Amino acid sequence: MADPIPTAPDGADPSFADLIAARPSLKMDALDGLLLEEVPLHRIARECGTPTWVYSAGTLRRRYRALRTALDDAGLAATIHYATKANDAQAVLRVLATEGAGADIVSAGELRATMAAGIPAGATVFSGVGKQAEEIVFALGQGIFQFNAESAEEIEMISAIASGMGVEAPVSLRVNPDVDAGTHAKITTGRAENKFGIAFEDAAALYARMASLPGIRPIGIATHIGSQITGGVAAYREAYARLAELVRGLQAQGLPVRRIDCGGGLGIPYRDEIPAPPEALAGAIKATLGDLGLPLMLEPGRWIAGPAGVLLASVILQKQAVNRRFVVLDAAMNDLIRPAMYEAWHGVLPLSPVAAKAETSPADVVGPVCESGDTFARDRALPMLDPGDLVAFLDAGAYGAVMSSTYNARPLAAEVLVDGSRHAVIRPRQTPEELLAHQRIPDWLDAVPAAPEPAAS
């Protein structure tokens, strides 16, 4: 079953104990402090430094299996295609590949990554609004399972490329059902004003056009209404009901519909949200699409990977301003950009068992980057923290490392996988030398003159 949900009084942040209780992979040990599975996180910080991403293989498996079981128990013939954009670490992909997951990708780079980790192209869906010609050629050459086409122009391009290669491209039409999923404006994808998919009223005619083109093998209908959906399953029901209406209309015209891609987007509890469990999503799918008798697909990303990861950081210093206490960390917005980009909330836990029980007071948690937006949390209840103390950002396994950058010439953080009592570095910390290694100075630029000697005092 899915992980429990944190509880807190109305308007209050969850306590440290609440956050830990709702995350089965975490435990606060009286001696070793915060554990991920069976590994003390302070040990990883000591070995690898900070900031460092740490992922739980057990959580990846548990959540994948919970979704798999919900679909099976609902009697749905459905395949799961992990949304690679959430976390494309090779070790994460390998864990899911061994569970039997397919992949959902949005670039040729992600296709190369998933294949390298053991997920074949024949189990991979290629989504995205801007597939380039060379990416389409590459995917066809690898035997891609399905393209989710998002425009009439893209369909024409796929037809021309596939015909020129002498192959048929399996293409599903991504339909925008104009349904408001009630999520953040920057991660909604199923409304009429979003860039994704085909307008519902245009879909039937475009599907018929697609079926007449050379080099195209029509596969079915796809949708995806947004990410981090926590308002129950009503939006899913509305979207899937529209899909069912469309599919029946296409079948009445004698057009082939072989499967339906239901997308992803199921949310996770970062703070105290109460997202629908996978059983509710499976029920919504069965109620709206089950009687069509077609194979189904899902594309979860965050739901699987988000709760599997933490970001470790060290305290640089505490700064006491006139009316605020600032906890300055060595992690920054270039590492975890979600709070700056989405106003996202992440639990912040001290690793020390003593600090976790100490008296708290409000503090702003910030990084060292030269941006006011380099703020992780405001007025967060935290104990007094000394330089070198360690904290963990929770639920950082999705849209964390994959969105990180080297802004302010800060090297990319290390990544570690935990599996039971074992742990291993899966991506070493980038060195300053590696950060500069691929840059070049044109030979026509003059050499830098020697700096003048400082004047004698």
Side-chain angles (χ1 to χ4, degrees):
M1 62 180 293
D3 295 345
I5 305 297
T7 58
D10 290 344
D13 288 338
S15 68
F16 295 155
D18 290 336
L19 290 168
I20 293 170
R23 291 156 177 82
S25 60
L26 292 177
K27 176 185 176 183
M28 184 62 76
D29 183 83
L31 297 177
D32 277 327
L34 192 64
L35 310 181
L36 184 63
E37 298 195 29
E38 300 171 38
V39 179
L41 288 172
H42 75 83
R43 182 186 304 165
I44 293 176
R46 184 176 65 247
E47 294 174 2
C48 301
T50 55
T52 291
W53 305 94
V54 190
Y55 309 123
S56 160
T59 302
L60 294 168
R61 296 188 189 104
R62 183 179 67 253
R63 294 183 71 84
Y64 177 88
R65 291 172 186 175
L67 180 57
R68 177 74 274 161
T69 297
L71 296 170
D72 292 344
D73 288 350
L76 297 171
T79 52
I80 300 173
H81 302 261
Y82 168 70
T84 307
K85 63 182 178 289
N87 186 322
D88 62 9
Q90 284 285 288
V92 168
L93 295 174
R94 177 62 62 87
V95 169
L96 296 173
T98 59
E99 290 294 308
D104 168 63
I105 55 110
V106 293
S107 72
E110 287 189 344
L111 179 54
R112 293 179 191 276
T114 51
M115 290 192 301
I119 302 176
T124 299
V125 182
F126 198 155
S127 302
V129 301
K131 305 175 189 71
Q132 299 179 59
E134 57 268 28
E135 293 182 306
I136 295 169
V137 170
F138 177 69
L140 286 171
Q142 299 302 314
I144 197 77
F145 179 63
Q146 174 176 308
F147 290 101
N148 283 350
E150 306 216 17
S151 67
E153 294 81 0
E154 181 187 337
I155 291 168
E156 297 286 346
M157 182 167 62
I158 293 174
S159 172
I161 292 171
S163 296
M165 296 175 63
V167 300
E168 278 192 331
V171 180
S172 184
L173 193 66
R174 177 171 173 176
V175 176
N176 186 327
D178 195 19
V179 168
D180 185 356
T183 189
H184 192 285
K186 292 182 180 179
I187 52 177
T188 185
T189 61
R191 302 185 67 181
E193 62 266 28
N194 298 139
K195 69 179 180 179
F196 302 97
I198 307 298
F200 184 83
E201 56 269 22
D202 298 333
L206 185 54
Y207 196 90
R209 166 66 177 160
M210 184 172 74
S212 71
L213 290 173
I216 298 284
R217 178 161 55 91
I219 291 298
I221 298 296
T223 196
H224 180 70
I225 60 173
S227 184
Q228 184 54 10
I229 299 170
T230 58
V233 296
Y236 284 113
R237 282 180 172 268
E238 183 180 354
Y240 297 155
R242 299 206 80 189
L243 287 196
E245 172 191 344
L246 176 60
V247 168
R248 291 189 181 95
L250 295 174
Q251 291 174 330
Q253 297 178 54
L255 294 168
V257 181
R258 296 177 173 87
R259 53 182 176 257
I260 300 173
D261 187 339
C262 299
L266 196 60
I268 64 172
Y270 286 100
R271 182 177 180 267
D272 54 3
E273 305 93 333
I274 305 178
E279 293 81 5
L281 177 60
I285 294 171
K286 183 173 183 179
T288 51
L289 301 172
D291 63 350
L292 294 174
L294 294 173
L296 303 166
M297 304 160 57
L298 277 86
E299 301 168 358
R302 181 198 314 269
W303 196 86
I304 290 175
V310 300
L311 174 62
L312 303 182
S314 297
V315 175
I316 297 174
L317 54 84
Q318 284 195 138
K319 174 183 175 180
Q320 185 62 55
V322 175
N323 295 314
R324 310 193 76 81
R325 173 168 68 109
F326 294 94
V327 176
V328 184
L329 304 178
D330 62 355
M333 63 184 290
N334 73 290
D335 300 301
L336 180 62
I337 200 171
R338 295 190 70 255
M341 181 176 287
Y342 303 126
E343 302 83 40
W345 195 99
H346 284 269
V348 183
L349 282 181
L351 268 56
S352 163
V354 175
K357 291 187 177 181
E359 183 178 351
T360 63
S361 62
D364 289 2
V365 184
V366 302
V369 157
C370 193
E371 298 278 352
S372 296
D374 187 24
T375 299
F376 295 112
R378 296 189 185 277
D379 295 321
R380 193 66 63 87
L382 289 172
M384 297 301 292
L385 295 167
D386 295 324
D389 284 351
L390 298 165
V391 299
F393 290 93
L394 306 185
D395 307 306
Y399 306 107
V402 288
M403 297 180 77
S404 60
S405 73
T406 57
Y407 185 46
N408 281 191
R410 290 168 51 85
L412 296 173
E415 294 180 79
V416 173
L417 183 73
V418 165
D419 198 352
S421 61
R422 300 172 294 182
H423 70 278
V425 175
I426 60 174
R427 187 180 72 175
R429 184 178 312 281
Q430 189 180 35
T431 66
E433 293 76 18
E434 290 168 339
L435 183 65
L436 297 175
H438 299 292
Q439 298 190 38
R440 299 289 184 269
I441 298 176
D443 56 13
W444 67 80
L445 293 179
D446 294 335
V448 177
E453 292 292 329
S457 58

